[in-house]
Amino acid sequence: MTPEQARQAQATVERALGGAEVNPYEMFRAQVDLAGQKLGYPADILELVKRPERVVEVSIPVRMDDGRIEVFTGYRVQHSSARGPYKGGIRYHPSVTLDEVKALAGWMAWKCAVVDIPLGGGKGGIVCDPTRMSEGELERLTRRYTAMILPVIGPQHDIPAPDVNTNSRIMNWVMDTATALRGEPMYGVVTGKDLAVGGARGRREATGRGVVIVMEELLAQLGKRIAGTRVAVQGFGNVGSVAAQLLHEKGAKVVGVSDVSGALYHPEGLDIPALVAHVARSPQRWIAGYTAPGVEALPGPEVLTLDVEVLVPAALEGQITADNASRIQAQVIVEGANGPTTPEADLILEARGRVVAPDILANAGGVIVSYFEWVQNLQNFYWDEEETHERLASLLRRAFRGVWDHAQKHGVSLRTSAFMLGLERIVEAIRLRGIFP
Amino acid sequence: MIGSTPSLLLGPGVRPAGFLARALGTAAARGGCDAQGFLADLRAGDPGAHSAFRYALAQEFCSFAASLGTTFRAVYVYGSAVEGRSRPGSDVDVIVWVTRKSGTVESLLVRLDALLARGYRKLTGYGSLRRLFDIHLVDDEDVELRRGYGAVVRSVWTAPVCLWRRGGTGPTG
C-alpha cells in the first residue's frame, strides 16, 4: 500500500464512520456476557442484568442570566434494584450521552454488589457545560432537573450523589427542591450534602481512606505491611492527598507524588503533612513550588515509573498504558481513580506478575460512606467520624476478602474476580426475588 | 467519554478508524482498486472483497497483538476469510495462541471486538453483525496436548494460516 493509498483509505473510513467512538454501554454488555459465560449463566438471565430497568430522559428549560430560555437534556438511568434502592451520581458535562449514563448505572449496580451494600445501581447526567454557567443558572438547572426526575427518585427508591462537576452545594439544592415539592423533610433523597444539612462526617476523606484500607489488606495477603513500604501517588486531590497522609501516618515512605503541576520525589519519603500545608496555601492548590532538602522536582508522568513497591494512580483515567506499563516498577497497583489502567496495560502488568487492586473495589470508600449518609438520614441519628471510619474499614475489609477469595477460587485477576462476584450477587438476588408477575 | 470512566467500561486504545482504514487500504491495494471502490464492493456484499477485507483485518489484529508484551505467541486465521467465501455477516475466524489464558486477555479481546464491530457496522452498513472476530484462545498447554483448537494449530489436514508468530522464539505451529 502506497502512502497515497493509505491516505485515501483513511479519508474514506473516517468519512464513513463519522467519529464512531468507544461506546461504554457496549463495553459493559460485553463484560457481562464474558463474566456470565464463565459462571455458566443462561442468556436470558444475562439479558435481564444487562438492561437498565428504567431510563428517564428529561428536557430542562432554564432561564439564563441574559433572559433567554435554554433547554438542556438530562437523564436518570435506573439499572438494577434487585439488591436495594438505586444509587449513583449525577454528572454535568457537555459530552454526557445516554449510553454513557446507562453504562455507569450498570457499573454502580456492580460496585454496590462487590462491596455488598444493600443498594442497586443508577446514574444521572445533564448535557451542559457548568464552567460556562453562573451560580444562578446552575441552581435553576439543578432545581428544575430535580423537579423533572422527582417522580422516580426518593429515599426509598433512588438516591443520587455527586459525580463529575457536581458537588455538595448542588446536592443541597437537590435535597431542598425535593423537600419543597414533597412538603416534608427529604434529607435521604440524595447523599454528598454538606454536614449542616444531613451530610456524613468523614465523607470527604472516604475514598482516600478506602484506598489505604484495600492496600493494607492486599499487602497482608502478600505477606507485607504498609510500614516501611515505598509508595508513589499520582494525583494530589481529595483521593491522592488523603491516601498519602494516611500512608505517611502508618509509616509508609511516600517517595513520590504528582498533580497537574508536576511531580515531587524524595528517596527517603516526602514530608506529607508539610506538603499538604503547602498545597493548602497555594492559590491553585498545586504541589508545584514546594521545596525541602532532598526533594527533587520531576515531570509528572515519571511518578508512575518510580522505584516503589506500591503505586496509587489517583488522578484521571487512562494513565497506565501500553506505552508505560512495561516500565512500571511497583509490584502492587491500587487504583484510586476510575479506569487509570487501560485494557492493554492491564494485560502487560498481568504478564509481568503485577497485582492490581481494581477501581471497583479500591475506590469504593466513597459509595460506602454515601450509604452511611443515607442510613443516618433515614434514622435521623448521626455518627461521629470515628464510627464512620470503623464501619468503613470493617465493610471494605470484608469486601476485599470476598474479592480475594473469589479470585483464588477461580484463578482470575482481582478485576475479573470483582466483576464476576458482582454478577453472582445480583443474579442471586434476582433468583431469590423471582420475576414479577 | 468523560475522563472518569471505570476500568471495564474503557475500550482499548485502538482507534477503530485507523484499524479499519489500514485493513481497507491493504485489501484495496491487493485488489488493484482504490479505497472508495473497494468500499463500494463491500457494501454490495461481494464475497471476494469481504474475504480480502477480513484477511487484512486479521493482519491488523496481528500488529495489535505484537505490540502488547509477551502474552501473545501467534495468530492464525482460517475459515471463510482464507477460502474466499466471506459474506457481509461473516466473522473473522482467528486462533490466538497466548502463553496463558486469563480473564484479562479475554476481556481485552472482547472489548476490541466490540469496538471494531461497531466501526464495521457503520462502515459497511451491515447493522446486524454482532461480532467481527470469532476468537479461539489457546495456550501452551492446549497446543502441547493438542487440546481443542490447540490441535487445529498443528493439524496437518486443516492447518490454519499462521499470520504472525512472536520473534521466531515461540513454539512452532
Side-chain angles (χ1 to χ4, degrees):
Chain A
M1 181 170 45
T2 65
E4 178 54 23
Q5 285 171 319
R7 195 196 58 74
Q8 277 182 9
Q10 187 70 33
T12 301
V13 170
E14 283 189 354
R15 225 174 11 249
L17 295 192
E21 290 171 4
V22 175
N23 182 324
Y25 184 55
E26 283 181 8
M27 296 298 155
F28 170 73
R29 291 177 63 87
Q31 296 298 337
V32 175
D33 281 334
L34 187 60
Q37 284 160 15
K38 279 183 186 298
L39 293 166
Y41 291 149
D44 54 356
I45 287 291
L46 294 180
E47 193 55 37
L48 177 60
V49 297
K50 280 187 291 191
R51 289 198 193 191
E53 290 175 6
R54 186 180 288 118
V55 175
V56 177
E57 179 177 330
V58 292
S59 297
I60 313 161
V62 176
R63 177 79 66 188
M64 306 302 277
D65 291 346
D66 61 7
R68 74 198 156 78
I69 296 166
E70 190 162 335
V71 184
F72 295 89
T73 301
Y75 305 105
R76 185 70 191 169
V77 175
Q78 298 174 330
H79 186 86
S80 169
S81 59
R83 290 174 43 85
Y86 310 102
K87 184 91 191 82
I90 300 168
R91 48 179 55 188
Y92 288 1
H93 200 279
S95 50
V96 163
T97 64
L98 178 56
D99 273 345
E100 179 186 61
V101 178
K102 282 164 73 175
L104 292 165
W107 182 258
M108 282 305 298
W110 256 252
K111 193 166 193 171
C112 292
V114 167
V115 294
D116 207 10
I117 55 178
L119 294 169
K123 204 77 179 183
I126 300 177
V127 186
C128 66
D129 184 353
T131 63
R132 301 168 71 99
M133 296 174 73
S134 70
E135 170 129 344
E137 289 169 343
L138 267 181
E139 180 172 355
R140 293 192 290 279
L141 176 78
T142 302
R143 289 187 182 278
R144 185 61 187 251
Y145 172 69
T146 305
M148 298 298 283
I149 65 167
L150 194 56
V152 298
I153 64 170
Q156 301 295 343
H157 190 51
D158 182 355
I159 308 108
D163 196 78
V164 174
N165 291 332
T166 56
N167 53 24
S168 59
R169 188 184 49 160
I170 288 174
M171 297 306 112
N172 299 344
W173 290 334
V174 173
M175 182 276 291
D176 185 65
T177 306
T179 298
L181 291 172
R182 289 270 168 87
E184 58 184 274
M186 294 282 284
Y187 289 107
V189 72
V190 67
T191 61
K193 305 176 293 294
D194 280 312
L195 209 51
V197 286
R201 290 181 178 84
R203 192 182 193 282
R204 189 189 73 81
E205 304 85 1
T207 306
R209 186 170 285 276
V211 164
V212 176
I213 294 164
V214 168
M215 186 194 301
E216 200 163 25
E217 291 297 304
L218 177 51
L219 289 176
Q221 290 293 344
L222 301 173
K224 296 173 181 172
R225 301 168 58 233
I226 280 188
T229 297
R230 291 163 59 81
V231 184
V233 180
Q234 186 201 34
F236 211 67
N238 261 357
V239 181
S241 69
V242 170
Q245 282 182 84
L246 291 171
L247 288 166
H248 182 81
E249 285 169 19
K250 286 174 177 284
K253 286 184 182 176
V254 182
V255 299
V257 300
S258 73
D259 67 6
V260 288
S261 68
L264 297 171
Y265 172 71
H266 190 303
E268 296 306 316
L270 293 155
D271 182 347
I272 298 296
L275 182 57
V276 168
H278 164 83
V279 170
R281 285 193 304 271
S282 149
Q284 289 153 312
R285 301 284 186 269
W286 285 350
I287 62 171
Y290 174 78
T291 53
V295 174
E296 189 184 340
L298 302 171
E302 287 193 19
V303 79
L304 297 170
T305 52
L306 288 174
D307 179 16
V308 292
E309 282 111 39
V310 181
L311 173 64
V312 180
L316 292 170
E317 73 181 39
Q319 298 297 299
I320 303 175
T321 66
D323 292 333
N324 61 22
S326 59
R327 289 183 283 118
I328 283 176
Q329 301 191 57
Q331 289 295 321
V332 170
I333 294 116
V334 183
E335 295 183 336
N338 269 338
T341 312
T342 68
E344 291 94 333
D346 221 9
L347 187 67
I348 293 168
L349 292 173
E350 182 178 82
R352 295 179 64 224
R354 270 49 181 178
V355 183
V356 180
D359 49 6
I360 195 167
L361 174 69
N363 69 22
V367 74
I368 291 172
V369 175
S370 255
Y371 161 56
F372 294 163
E373 180 178 334
W374 173 69
V375 166
Q376 293 169 77
N377 292 153
L378 293 182
Q379 296 177 340
N380 207 12
F381 176 75
Y382 292 86
W383 312 342
D384 61 26
E385 197 160 340
E386 199 51 43
E387 185 166 1
T388 299
H389 295 341
E390 283 169 15
R391 287 183 185 273
L392 172 64
S394 164
L395 224 152
L396 256 181
R397 287 194 185 110
R398 189 180 70 193
F400 175 84
R401 281 195 297 275
V403 173
W404 178 268
D405 291 347
H406 198 269
Q408 301 300 307
K409 179 179 163 191
H410 291 274
V412 296
S413 70
L414 294 176
R415 196 186 309 281
T416 304
S417 163
F419 201 78
M420 288 170 68
L421 185 61
L423 178 59
E424 271 187 3
R425 286 180 175 156
I426 292 167
V427 168
E428 175 67 356
I430 291 170
R431 189 186 68 77
L432 290 169
R433 291 172 67 136
I435 303 293
F436 175 82
Chain B
M1 271 199 299
I2 298 169
S4 179
T5 310
S7 54
L8 291 172
L9 307 183
L10 286 171
V14 170
R15 283 194 63 240
F19 196 106
L20 295 168
R22 286 189 296 276
L24 187 80
T26 302
R30 280 188 190 133
C33 61
D34 64 24
Q36 196 61 48
F38 191 82
L39 181 57
D41 289 344
L42 284 178
R43 288 178 171 166
D46 176 65
H50 275 278
S51 298
F53 186 47
R54 278 158 178 70
Y55 193 87
L57 283 169
Q59 288 179 307
E60 277 303 311
F61 177 85
C62 293
S63 303
F64 175 71
S67 70
L68 295 179
T70 56
T71 299
F72 293 97
R73 281 199 188 280
V75 176
Y76 301 83
V77 63
Y78 69 102
S80 61
V82 289
E83 291 159 6
R85 52 180 179 79
S86 293
R87 291 182 301 179
S90 301
D91 47 27
V92 188
D93 298 303
V94 172
I95 300 172
V96 177
W97 183 348
V98 292
T99 49
R100 191 178 74 87
K101 282 186 264 189
S102 75
T104 308
V105 182
E106 291 170 342
S107 173
L108 171 65
L109 297 181
V110 156
R111 277 182 272 183
L112 177 71
D113 185 55
L115 185 71
L116 295 176
R118 178 179 167 81
Y120 175 90
R121 289 192 294 267
K122 284 198 85 169
L123 182 67
T124 63
Y126 288 101
S128 58
L129 181 122
R130 290 189 62 192
R131 64 181 184 193
L132 188 52
F133 285 96
D134 185 11
I135 296 174
H136 300 279
L137 272 184
V138 298
D139 60 16
D140 291 353
E141 202 174 285
D142 292 331
V143 176
E144 186 63 35
L145 299 176
R146 295 174 185 269
R147 194 167 55 198
Y149 279 85
V152 178
V153 165
R154 288 190 162 167
S155 167
V156 176
W157 309 107
T158 57
V161 176
C162 181
L163 288 183
W164 169 79
R165 186 178 298 145
R166 178 167 297 284
T169 55
T172 54

